[in-house]
Amino acid sequence: MATQGLATVMTVKLGSLGWSKSNYSSGGGAALRLLLLSPAQAQPSVHALRACSSSSCSRGAVAGRWSAAASSATSAPVDSSSGGVAGGGEMMVEWPAAPREQVEAIRSLNGWVAENMLPLLTPVDSAWQPHDYLPRSTAAAAAGGGEANDNDRAFAEELAELRAAAACVPDDVLVCLVGNMVTEEALPTYQSMFNRTDGVGDDTGASAVPWARWIRGWTAEENRHGDLLNRYLYLTGRVDMRQVEITIHHLLSNGMEMLMPKSPYHSLIYASFQERATFISHGHTARLAVKHGDRTLSKICGVVAADERRHEAAYTRASAELFDVDPDGMVRALAYVMLGKVTMPGLLMSDGLGGGGDSLFARFSAVAQRAGVYTASDYGDMVEHFVRRWRVADLGAGLSGEGRRAQEYVCGLAPKIRRMEELAHRRAARGEPGLARFSWIFNRAVVVG
């Protein structure tokens, strides 16, 4: 799960439009937050709702009245050391648990997960491994060393071929590749994210519950991505691996902050967007690699993108199931994710050297935008995709008033992003491109803007 430009696009595009929570609700920003995060009320059982949504009931007609499940937490984390609410200080000790209705809804999908998500994981025996796409470094322990010497020569030849092709990859593409690899390497943070999500976490570390099995299987597949990209970059000889490793160390140490860290609704929506953005990013990198003559890098990015597409399918389908169970809760959660400042996995990356006022992530994102690895246009396409895939425009009479306002906002978001993208392109065309230096590539400068 690695991508770069989404946070920048969200901040610039929506921020430039002047959109805030007060635009979405007549009660102002605080009112929206409280409406979306209202405490759970006594409501029908999730199992009854699932039975209704899968039978003759219209889509969400009853489930739509289950509006309390839109809540994902209270509006601020609890400071357990003082017994109160953290209000402006830096100490945020503990977020409250997700509402019971959300937990019931996500747990009710366990059977569905076993039948529809777990089969999307590739069996280990038939799964690709990083070694499959890199020069074979293993030397056979043959008597006399003859076969070992042959293998050494073959490895040296394959390494020389890899380096010759990689030498043609421009620095901007290399920066995007490093940034994506760094984000992939922070996988322990992402597994922790899911394990603290109420209703899906692996409580024992080896739970047989389908959600827990999915999280472990997803983590195992994702783990190969950082391994493969890291080894490729090391073998190219074109990057300062110590600075790259320092960046990984910082990112793991800094962590990642979620909007609603314990809400299963928010977590699934977030994961759907992230996996699709990563699929797009790696796919664009694969095409750029071919353009510049590095077919090894193209294959590497292609196989990673294929994994991300399977993972996106899993989270998107699970979210669709929740839209059937609780359309009002999910559309409100979706609007909140779109309205909020989405924290990206690599947002807190740092090489420890500073960057003249811009964060490393901001510079990385600007390079990705200019290189075409991940752009504002990609984000607009993605919003349209999910609105269509989850049939948000078709949500019917079961929506609450707040749900209808959320629906209207989400369905109208993509055109606003398109307009802001056009304005940004016009501004960029009038300005002079800038330069950004990256310690990852020995402090060489890359064009941005």
Side-chain angles (χ1 to χ4, degrees), residues 32-40 67-76 95-103 196-198 258-267 269 326 329 332-334 336-337:
L32 171 67
R33 189 173 179 84
L34 291 174
L35 281 167
L36 285 172
L37 309 179
S38 58
S67 58
S71 64
S72 54
T74 58
S75 59
W95 281 86
R100 175 179 55 82
E101 288 79 6
Q102 278 199 27
V103 177
R196 68 172 171 262
T197 299
D198 290 336
M258 290 287 290
L259 279 171
M260 294 293 123
K262 294 190 177 183
S263 164
Y265 287 13
H266 288 79
S267 292
I269 291 169
D326 181 19
R332 289 161 64 188
L334 176 59
Y336 189 80
V337 171

Side-chain angles (χ1 to χ4, degrees), residues 419-436:
R419 288 196 294 272
M420 289 310 303
E421 180 191 0
E422 292 174 5
L423 291 174
H425 279 309
R426 292 173 191 168
R427 286 195 298 268
R430 292 194 298 266
E432 291 293 327
L435 294 175

Side-chain angles (χ1 to χ4, degrees), residues 346-363:
L347 182 63
L348 300 180
M349 65 171 59
S350 169
D351 59 4
L353 300 178
D358 290 330
S359 72
L360 178 57
F361 180 83
R363 287 179 281 138

Side-chain angles (χ1 to χ4, degrees), residues 140-446:
E147 187 175 344
N149 289 336
D150 289 342
N151 285 342
D152 287 344
R153 282 192 293 271
F155 173 69
E157 291 172 0
E158 291 175 11
L159 178 58
E161 291 175 4
L162 181 147
R163 289 193 164 195
C168 300
V169 176
D171 280 348
D172 57 351
V173 177
L174 204 59
V175 164
C176 294
L177 188 64
V178 173
N180 278 345
M181 183 273 283
V182 167
T183 312
E184 295 280 6
E185 290 281 47
L187 181 62
T189 299
Y190 318 140
Q191 185 179 26
S192 298
M193 177 195 80
F194 278 116
N195 278 333
R196 68 172 171 262
T197 299
D198 290 336
V200 304
D202 186 353
D203 293 335
T204 69
S207 171
V209 172
W211 272 119
R213 291 166 57 199
W214 166 261
I215 292 171
R216 293 197 304 272
W218 169 84
T219 301
E221 292 194 346
E222 289 279 340
N223 185 63
R224 301 169 304 163
H225 301 171
D227 286 352
L228 177 55
L229 296 171
N230 193 318
R231 292 175 198 173
Y232 166 83
L233 287 165
Y234 172 78
L235 290 173
T236 67
R238 291 198 56 200
V239 300
D240 186 337
M241 286 305 299
R242 179 167 176 78
Q243 282 304 126
V244 171
E245 290 160 357
I246 287 172
T247 307
I248 296 168
H249 196 150
H250 274 299
L251 182 55
L252 279 165
S253 179
N254 292 340
M256 179 183 76
E257 195 169 36
M258 290 287 290
L259 279 171
M260 294 293 123
K262 294 190 177 183
S263 164
Y265 287 13
H266 288 79
S267 292
L268 281 183
I269 291 169
Y270 179 87
S272 299
F273 272 85
Q274 280 299 323
E275 296 290 358
R276 185 165 185 85
T278 308
F279 157 67
I280 291 168
S281 177
H282 285 300
H284 287 170
T285 307
R287 286 187 284 276
L288 288 170
V290 168
K291 176 182 176 181
H292 295 290
D294 192 338
R295 296 194 174 277
T296 296
L297 177 58
S298 178
K299 290 178 182 178
I300 287 171
C301 292
V303 75
V304 172
D307 274 3
E308 304 294 5
R309 190 161 201 174
R310 280 190 295 109
H311 299 162
E312 178 217 332
Y315 293 120
T316 302
R317 293 173 192 174
S319 296
E321 289 294 306
L322 286 175
F323 266 101
D324 283 337
V325 173
D326 181 19
D328 191 71
M330 282 293 284
V331 74
R332 289 161 64 188
L334 176 59
Y336 189 80
V337 171
M338 296 294 95
L339 280 161
K341 182 181 178 182
V342 178
T343 302
M344 302 307 293
L347 182 63
L348 300 180
M349 65 171 59
S350 169
D351 59 4
L353 300 178
D358 290 330
S359 72
L360 178 57
F361 180 83
R363 287 179 281 138
F364 161 49
S365 297
V367 173
Q369 168 75 29
R370 184 177 179 87
V373 168
Y374 188 84
T375 69
S377 179
D378 293 324
Y379 178 64
D381 291 343
M382 196 159 57
V383 172
E384 287 182 339
H385 167 79
F386 285 115
V387 168
R388 182 173 58 251
R389 174 62 180 82
W390 291 328
R391 296 183 292 157
V392 176
D394 298 333
L395 300 178
L399 296 184
S400 65
E402 192 63 34
R404 287 192 296 274
R405 287 188 288 273
Q407 178 190 40
E408 181 180 359
Y409 167 72
V410 170
C411 290
L413 182 57
K416 295 180 177 69
I417 294 172
R418 303 292 188 205
R419 288 196 294 272
M420 289 310 303
E421 180 191 0
E422 292 174 5
L423 291 174
H425 279 309
R426 292 173 191 168
R427 286 195 298 268
R430 292 194 298 266
E432 291 293 327
L435 294 175
R437 296 188 179 275
F438 290 86
S439 64
W440 302 336
I441 53 173
F442 304 98
N443 214 35
R444 295 194 297 272
V446 177

